[in-house]
Amino acid sequence: MGSGKNGTFDIQPDLEQWAYMWVWENEEDYARFKEKSWIMKYIQKYSTTNFTLFLQPKQSHGLWDKRNPFEVENKGIFTENETIIVLTRASIRIQKAADFWRNVPEIAKNFAQNEGFLYSIGVGEMPFFKQATLSVWKNENSMKAFAYRKNEHAEVIKKTRSQKWYSEELFARFSLLGYSGNVPVSISE
């Protein structure tokens, strides 16, 4: 997937940064893929730096291309100081795209200034219409303070519902199991 500048989805693409996302049943399947896949050989050959986050879904609702790849049977609870990773993904209605993108800059400009924020990347499989943000937070409380108590973000959430910007959306929360590669300092501290 391509990525946006400024750590969130952005109308301006970052042509030097790309993201891959895979869902595995177990670590053995991932190890086999990593060892034998031409995609992994391509990534290793052409990337100057890369990092991998290993995540375990704890909570997920909504759909990504008509299915939920992160569905969990029992909703997990995050401990008080547990790092939380949030994936927000949406298919933006073509007729609503201009209005949606007019509202993005206000949220994006201060995203990283929130207490407990560690890292984010905006990605998309289809520019302007299928967008996702993966954000890493110090704990669940800091994530919720941004998502639900920050006025600018709360207003955009209301507009999302009232103006029906999305034809499909998915929200998932993950535990961080580990990481490898050139992980941004903010995550590894």
Side-chain angles (χ1 to χ4, degrees), residues 58 77-85 137-141 174-176:
K58 277 195 170 178
I77 304 297
F78 291 90
T79 62
E80 186 176 333
N81 292 313
E82 181 179 1
T83 300
I84 181 172
I85 292 82
W137 299 86
K138 184 176 179 180
N139 55 42
E140 189 175 29
N141 286 337
F174 303 85
S175 289
L176 178 63

Side-chain angles (χ1 to χ4, degrees), residues 20-27 30 51-59 69-70 72 78 82-87 119 121 133-137 172-180 187:
Y20 295 86
M21 183 180 301
W22 291 290
V23 177
W24 303 103
E25 291 293 324
N26 54 57
E27 287 184 49
Y30 169 70
F51 73 94
T52 301
L53 298 176
F54 301 100
L55 309 176
Q56 175 70 48
K58 277 195 170 178
Q59 303 168 6
F70 312 113
V72 290
F78 291 90
E82 181 179 1
T83 300
I84 181 172
I85 292 82
V86 177
L87 175 70
Y119 176 79
I121 182 172
T133 299
L134 182 81
S135 57
V136 182
W137 299 86
R173 296 177 182 173
F174 303 85
S175 289
L176 178 63
L177 300 177
Y179 46 81
S180 66
I187 295 173

Side-chain angles (χ1 to χ4, degrees), residues 1-5 8-10 12-19 121-124 131:
M1 293 182 276
S3 69
K5 291 187 181 281
T8 184
F9 45 75
D10 193 306
Q12 298 294 319
D14 183 341
L15 300 177
E16 295 182 6
Q17 181 172 253
W18 300 87
I121 182 172
V123 297
Q131 300 293 305

